[in-house]
Structures are given as structure tokens and as C-alpha cells.
Amino acid sequence: GALGKATRAGRGISLEFPPSVLTEDAERVAHAFSDIRAAGFGVAMSGYGSREMTMPDMVAATPDEVFMDSGMTSLLSDSLRSAAAVAVVRYAAGLGSKVIAEGAGDDTALRALSSSEAYGFIPAESYSGIEVLRAGMLSVTGFTDAMREETV
């Protein structure tokens, strides 16, 4: 099915869906998400900020958590385009979604995330800086044997 995976974000379990589920009947998807929440789970969407998920899709889906696409996250390292990525984070936060940025790859990206309303980040595989521990927000470092959260 369309279900990607279950993740732990915040205090509960969220079911993560790819943006492709939003191409189905919007009313049916909204009803399904409502049923998922009624069962005690959260709704997470991957691919936020990608071409696959438009802003109207975001409003229609109203996910509890979104995983910001690594391509959008990479803009945080670009001094000329960082403000656009921060605006995308704030847009989702304004709708009530927790934003987890995938692929934060350097200190510049972490500084931009910490000044935005991002909930957390998943570091790029190439990034092993100590700033991960100093960022002051949730760092989900992987879904390997056990999910590990580091908070400051």
C-alpha cells in the first residue's frame, strides 16, 4: 500500500505516507487520516518541499509531522536561498506540522534550522560535526537497530 513506515516523533507513533497518496481522492484521504488519528496515531508525510507535494496538498493533508525533502534542506546551506527554505519550514509550522529536515549537511544548515521553527533534523551521512549535539533541537540520527534521539 501507500504506507511508508512507522516512525516515532514527539510522544507517539506516526504513520508516514509518501506524497503520492495525495493524488487520490482528497476527501477519502482526509477521512483516512482522521481515522488514523482517532486510533491514536499521528500522520507524517515524507517529501515536504519536493515537487511531489504542493502547498495545497500540505493544507489538505494537515499532517502532524513532515519530513522536509533533502533537496529543500540543502538550500539551507546556500546563503542566497536559505531564506526560502526557512519560509517553507515556517509555512508548515504555521499549519501546525512539526518539520523534520532530512539531510542537514553542515553548520550553516543547522544554524538556519535552529533559527526557524523546525522541530528537528536528520543529519546527512557525510555530516558528523559536534554541532549536531549543540543545535538545541531534536536530532533523529537514524532508524537502524533502535531509533536514537539526542536533545540538548
Side-chain angles (χ1 to χ4, degrees):
L3 178 62
K5 56 188 166 189
T7 61
R8 194 178 79 165
R11 291 180 219 156
I13 302 285
S14 290
L15 302 179
E16 182 181 340
F17 296 88
S20 60
V21 302
L22 301 176
T23 61
E24 298 176 22
D25 178 22
E27 186 175 322
R28 193 173 119 205
V29 170
H31 183 71
F33 286 177
S34 179
D35 288 347
I36 289 167
R37 288 186 180 101
F41 296 98
V43 172
M45 298 290 303
S46 60
Y48 177 62
S50 71
R51 292 176 188 212
E52 294 179 80
M53 184 185 287
T54 66
M55 296 301 171
D57 288 342
M58 179 68 180
V59 173
T62 61
D64 303 302
E65 293 97 20
V66 291
F67 289 89
M68 190 162 80
D69 182 72
S70 60
M72 181 62 69
T73 300
S74 71
L75 297 180
L76 294 166
S77 299
D78 182 336
S79 62
L80 297 176
R81 295 161 48 191
S82 178
V86 168
V88 169
V89 170
R90 290 185 176 149
Y91 179 81
L95 293 173
S97 296
K98 294 177 182 176
V99 179
I100 301 163
E102 292 191 68
D106 59 31
D107 296 349
T108 303
L110 289 179
R111 280 192 291 278
L113 283 171
S114 66
S115 69
S116 71
E117 297 176 42
Y119 176 73
F121 63 95
I122 299 171
E125 288 183 29
S126 62
Y127 185 60
S128 61
I130 192 67
E131 292 301 313
V132 167
L133 299 175
R134 295 184 186 151
M137 39 180 194
L138 174 70
S139 169
V140 182
T141 57
F143 302 102
T144 54
D145 295 333
M147 181 191 233
R148 188 178 87 212
E149 295 179 358
E150 300 168 353
T151 57
V152 176

